């Protein structure tokens, strides 16, 4: 699935589905989810974090402000097993402040994989 970034959309979160999965129950605001991810800087491809390296997905409640806004929006309506590449501009990431190895005003690229939704089995097809 080829996808290219359009300059006019660079201020919005870009979502590219890299592994589509069909299901009846997709992620919704308030779901506690488990997500594996790899985060890189759009500027030079430097990896700044990856749950895969730790062998443990990140668990959080989506749509609740526990993670950056780009994740809260970019991980909704997702099926277990689905993979997405999120391109997150600064206003949906860390904005004007740096965070550890992430410089201020950075566009972030996250390869994400939905591992689970608490209380939901893999499907309900």
């Amino acid at each position: 699935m080829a996808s290219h970034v359009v300059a006019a959309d660079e201020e919005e979160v870009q979502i590219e589905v890299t592994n589509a999965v069909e299901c009846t129950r997709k992620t919704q605001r308030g779901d506690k989810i488990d997500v594996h991810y790899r985060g890189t800087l759009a500027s030079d491809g430097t990896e700044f974090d990856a749950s895969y390296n730790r062998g443990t997905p990140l668990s959080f409640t989506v749509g609740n402000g526990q993670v950056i806004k780009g994740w809260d929006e970019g991980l909704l309506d997702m099926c277990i097993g689905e993979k997405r590449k999120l391109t997150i501009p600064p206003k949906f990431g860390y904005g004007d402040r740096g965070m550890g190895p992430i410089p201020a005003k950075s566009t972030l690229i996250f390869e994400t994989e939905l591992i689970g939704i608490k209380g939901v089995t893999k499907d309900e097809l």
Side-chain angles (χ1 to χ4, degrees):
M1 293 182 202
S3 172
H4 47 309
V5 177
V6 180
D9 294 330
E10 65 188 23
E11 287 304 309
E12 298 300 321
V13 175
Q14 311 247 333
I15 300 170
E16 177 188 349
V17 176
T18 57
N19 182 48
V21 175
E22 292 295 319
C23 66
T24 55
R25 174 59 164 83
K26 298 181 178 191
T27 54
Q28 307 166 4
R29 288 187 196 287
D31 281 342
K32 182 165 173 101
I33 63 173
D34 295 325
V35 177
H36 259 313
Y37 66 92
R38 177 172 288 105
T40 57
L41 300 176
S43 59
D44 64 5
T46 299
E47 182 177 299
F48 56 82
D49 192 18
S51 66
Y52 291 106
N53 297 346
R54 293 186 291 280
T56 305
L58 179 66
S59 296
F60 65 96
T61 302
V62 71
N64 236 12
Q66 294 180 356
V67 293
I68 59 174
K69 192 173 180 185
W71 272 39
D72 270 345
E73 293 185 9
L75 298 177
L76 291 173
D77 297 318
M78 203 169 174
C79 294
I80 295 171
E82 184 176 325
K83 295 181 182 183
R84 292 182 178 177
K85 177 181 169 187
L86 306 178
T87 302
I88 301 175
K91 75 177 184 178
F92 291 96
Y94 295 105
D96 291 338
R97 60 184 211 259
M99 182 65 66
I102 303 170
K105 299 182 179 163
S106 292
T107 295
L108 310 175
I109 308 286
F110 283 98
E111 297 167 35
T112 63
E113 177 182 2
L114 183 63
I115 303 300
I117 304 171
K118 186 174 175 80
V120 176
T121 56
K122 187 165 187 235
D123 216 39
E124 287 151 42
L125 280 176

